[in-house]
Amino acid sequence: MILAINMNPAIDKVYAVDDFKVGEVFRPRDMTATAGGKGLNVARVACLLGEQVIATGLAGGSTGRFIEEEVKKQGIDSQFVPIQGESRICINIMDEKNVTSTEILEPGPTISEEECEAFLNKYQKLLEKCDVVTASGSLPKGVPEDFYRNLISLANEKGKKFILDTSGKYFEEGINEKPYMIKPNKDEVSKVIKESLSHMDDYIKAVKTFQAQGIMLPVISLGKNGCIAALEDGIYHFTTPQVKVINTVGSGDSFVAGCAVGLSQGRNFIDVIKLGMACGTANTQFFKTGMVSKELVDKFFAMIEYEKIEGI
């Protein structure tokens, strides 16, 4: 069972607009509205792969009700904690003709101390039902910066595998508690270690540092160039096949979902990363955010390449 945490969920609206320009009026040729936020993308993809998934976080107002209803329709167990504020709406304008993506992200509601406490109480009960926990994205206003760190600590106490996918202060605080897996990009790592990363040697040094700190499966995302991962026996570079991209939004979340499924199934680390990358690649083939098909995932899984670039 996978527990997917999305503390600041949203309705994700994607508009397809060719030749998008600022200051003009457009009528999109297509649009979708889904229960979104990074954690819900994770939950959706894991569910599409056939896993049992619980989605939790904070949800409020009419937007929150829409999110919970959509989550349930997808076959995901919705266990959101109700709040007084209104959950947010996020907009993505996809210009496929010019291969651009413009995002407008609402900040979301302000959370009270009592609402934070209510979530922690619920979270500790939900931990009993799962073996892998994912926490994705930013935290809403009012939630302390060390909140993910506390969630990781509680998961570690119960022997649950925790995948942390966030940035900034939330990431810096979280890694101090040794989550099982992380997947920052090179810019996020640079901000934490206070060094620029531009060469393979830099990435190798960074994942080895995370591994030495006690993070079991540190990964650095390199975008179209794949990822670097520190496994038990060395440092590996994984690459994906070249595909015609329809929409990249949600590919990082799909990667997390694939890794969570692999860990929950007890797969070896190489296959865990391959499954994550296959999900991330499959997501690029859909207009809808955080979407895969099992057939495409299986196809791309067989096409993921990897090499050991340094032994331990």
Side-chain angles (χ1 to χ4, degrees):
M1 176 81 78
I2 295 168
L3 176 61
I5 299 170
N6 197 142
M7 296 300 293
N8 203 9
I11 296 176
D12 275 350
K13 292 190 175 183
V14 182
Y15 298 97
V17 178
D18 290 335
D19 290 321
F20 175 73
K21 297 179 182 66
V22 175
E24 297 191 12
V25 176
F26 296 94
R27 292 179 175 83
R29 57 179 171 78
D30 196 7
M31 73 85 64
T32 64
T34 59
K38 293 172 67 63
L40 289 185
N41 291 339
V42 172
R44 184 184 308 112
V45 171
C47 185
L48 287 168
L49 293 182
E51 291 298 306
Q52 289 187 304
V53 186
I54 301 171
T56 189
L58 304 169
S62 58
T63 304
R65 288 192 293 275
F66 174 88
I67 290 168
E68 291 193 81
E69 289 167 6
E70 288 298 304
V71 166
K72 292 173 183 176
K73 286 179 186 176
Q74 294 162 12
I76 299 166
D77 185 0
S78 178
Q79 294 287 341
F80 282 85
V81 173
I83 56 172
Q84 290 295 313
E86 184 80 22
S87 293
R88 60 189 182 143
I89 296 174
C90 295
I91 294 171
N92 178 27
I93 302 170
M94 293 291 302
D95 184 345
E96 187 177 345
K97 184 177 178 180
N98 295 297
V99 197
T100 63
S101 173
T102 303
E103 293 187 275
I104 302 169
L105 310 178
E106 292 183 4
T110 298
I111 309 304
S112 69
E113 187 175 337
E114 291 74 20
E115 289 167 339
C116 286
E117 192 63 34
F119 176 82
L120 285 173
N121 291 334
K122 180 116 178 181
Y123 171 71
Q124 292 182 74
K125 294 175 183 177
L126 294 176
L127 273 177
E128 303 293 341
K129 302 179 180 181
C130 71
D131 52 8
V132 178
V133 183
T134 69
S136 308
S138 62
L139 294 170
K141 289 178 289 186
V143 178
E145 289 180 344
D146 65 352
F147 196 74
Y148 282 147
R149 181 173 183 169
N150 291 335
L151 300 187
I152 295 166
S153 176
L154 291 167
N156 287 345
E157 287 175 8
K158 295 183 180 295
K160 312 298 182 179
K161 296 179 173 67
F162 197 108
I163 304 177
L164 180 65
D165 181 21
T166 188
S167 59
K169 287 292 185 181
Y170 313 130
F171 179 67
E172 290 184 44
E173 286 284 345
I175 59 176
N176 288 326
E177 204 59 46
K178 303 178 180 61
Y180 193 86
M181 178 179 177
I182 56 173
K183 63 151 291 281
N185 60 38
K186 62 180 183 179
D187 293 332
E188 291 164 350
V189 174
S190 293
K191 291 175 182 176
V192 171
I193 66 175
K194 306 296 188 294
E195 295 179 18
S196 63
L197 281 70
S198 56
H199 302 290
M200 190 62 70
D201 288 345
D202 300 330
Y203 309 139
I204 293 171
K205 179 182 176 183
V207 291
K208 288 173 70 174
T209 298
F210 288 132
Q211 189 178 53
Q213 291 174 353
I215 297 170
M216 188 65 67
L217 187 52
V219 178
I220 297 178
S221 172
L222 303 178
K224 64 180 181 180
N225 295 317
C227 71
I228 297 292
L231 308 187
E232 307 103 319
D233 63 336
I235 312 302
Y236 286 75
H237 182 205
F238 292 79
T239 54
T240 58
Q242 289 189 343
V243 296
K244 183 180 179 181
V245 172
I246 295 174
N247 180 12
T248 61
V249 178
S251 289
D253 306 326
S254 300
F255 174 88
V256 170
C259 291
V261 170
L263 289 173
S264 185
Q265 293 176 347
R267 299 196 189 195
N268 64 63
F269 280 173
I270 286 178
D271 281 355
V272 166
I273 302 298
K274 284 180 64 179
L275 185 57
M277 296 197 74
C279 288
T281 306
N283 176 79
T284 69
Q285 304 302 290
F286 294 88
F287 176 65
K288 192 172 182 180
T289 302
M291 178 60 58
V292 303
S293 71
K294 194 170 186 308
E295 293 73 21
L296 271 181
V297 170
D298 291 342
K299 172 186 173 182
F300 289 133
F301 181 86
M303 298 169 71
I304 303 300
E305 297 183 349
Y306 63 93
E307 63 172 333
K308 184 192 286 190
I309 55 180
E310 184 175 310
I312 293 179

